[in-house]
Amino acid sequence: KSHYCPTSGRTMSVAWTVGGTGRVLVVGIALDSANSDVTSVTYAGQALTYRGGSGTGNGRPSAEIWTLTNPPTGVSTVIVTLSANDQIAIGAVSFTGVNLTTPLDVPIFGTSGNNGTSATAALTTVTNNAWVVDVLALNNGVTPTMTVLAGRTSRWNRPVGTSITGAGSTYGPKTPAGAVSLQWTWAGSRRWAIEAIALRPGGSPVLTR
């Protein structure tokens, strides 16, 4: 499952349901970052771990990934808190069958640019059946297009007015392990940032929920 919450303010929330075993919750954030930073992300009162971010500062859009290993099952809320009011788009995906001891298959990938018409997240998985999640942040309200890749699914793609657009996708299970390249394109030169994370399976292929 995936969900998004395009809005502005200081605290944003996304209702979410988690079930199954070997659970990992992944939250992607696209932030205008002209005026603020993300100070915390929680789910069911538990703090998520910041995994990485690109493009922060100087009015650039910022793409961030946060995770929670073995979140409580049932219905709860993802809450994102900022240091000040700002524009933000939140997306979430949850997985089962993840290796909870070593949930990350490889180091997180991140990069950003001041101008451009495309962004690519590139990493190389080392475990068969890993899943990859990417998060894109793009300024000026332009809607990006996800390039075609068999097994890749767009999970959210929403602008917040004319300030920031957040998009995210999943790809997997990737087998055999190896290089993965996830690209987005858009019209007109824009500032952008992209992050990607690979989740290691634990005994069976990771399944999106």
Side-chain angles (χ1 to χ4, degrees):
K1 299 177 181 178
S2 62
H3 192 80
Y4 71 94
C5 178
T7 186
S8 61
R10 186 168 180 175
T11 302
M12 296 79 177
S13 62
V14 178
W16 197 247
T17 303
V18 175
T21 59
R23 302 179 301 277
V24 169
L25 173 64
V26 180
V27 175
I29 299 172
L31 177 65
D32 184 39
S33 78
N35 305 307
S36 68
D37 299 306
V38 178
T39 57
S40 68
V41 182
T42 63
Y43 175 77
Q46 296 189 14
L48 275 71
T49 300
Y50 172 76
R51 294 297 186 178
S54 295
T56 57
N58 299 321
R60 292 184 183 181
S62 170
E64 299 185 6
I65 292 179
W66 298 64
T67 68
L68 179 60
T69 301
N70 203 28
T73 58
V75 180
S76 194
T77 304
V78 175
I79 299 176
V80 178
T81 303
L82 305 179
S83 59
N85 290 350
D86 215 336
Q87 285 73 45
I88 187 173
I90 307 164
V93 287
S94 53
F95 296 83
T96 60
V98 180
N99 184 322
L100 299 185
T101 302
T102 310
L104 301 191
D105 194 51
V106 292
I108 190 169
F109 172 92
T111 187
S112 63
N114 281 328
N115 296 286
T117 57
S118 68
T120 302
L123 46 74
T124 301
T125 63
V126 297
T127 307
N128 289 346
N129 295 319
W131 279 82
V132 179
V133 182
D134 73 310
V135 177
L136 173 71
L138 183 65
N139 74 344
N140 288 34
V142 175
T143 300
T145 300
M146 185 187 75
T147 55
V148 176
L149 177 64
R152 187 183 181 195
T153 303
S154 177
R155 297 299 178 178
W156 66 92
N157 190 345
R158 292 293 187 275
V160 182
T162 59
S163 174
I164 190 77
T165 295
S169 75
T170 59
Y171 171 70
K174 167 63 175 171
T175 189
V180 177
S181 181
L182 306 178
Q183 187 180 62
W184 298 83
T185 63
W186 55 86
S189 184
R190 297 289 186 269
R191 294 180 176 179
W192 55 272
I194 193 168
E195 290 284 313
I197 192 172
L199 298 177
R200 177 173 295 180
S204 61
V206 179
L207 301 175
T208 55
R209 293 184 58 87

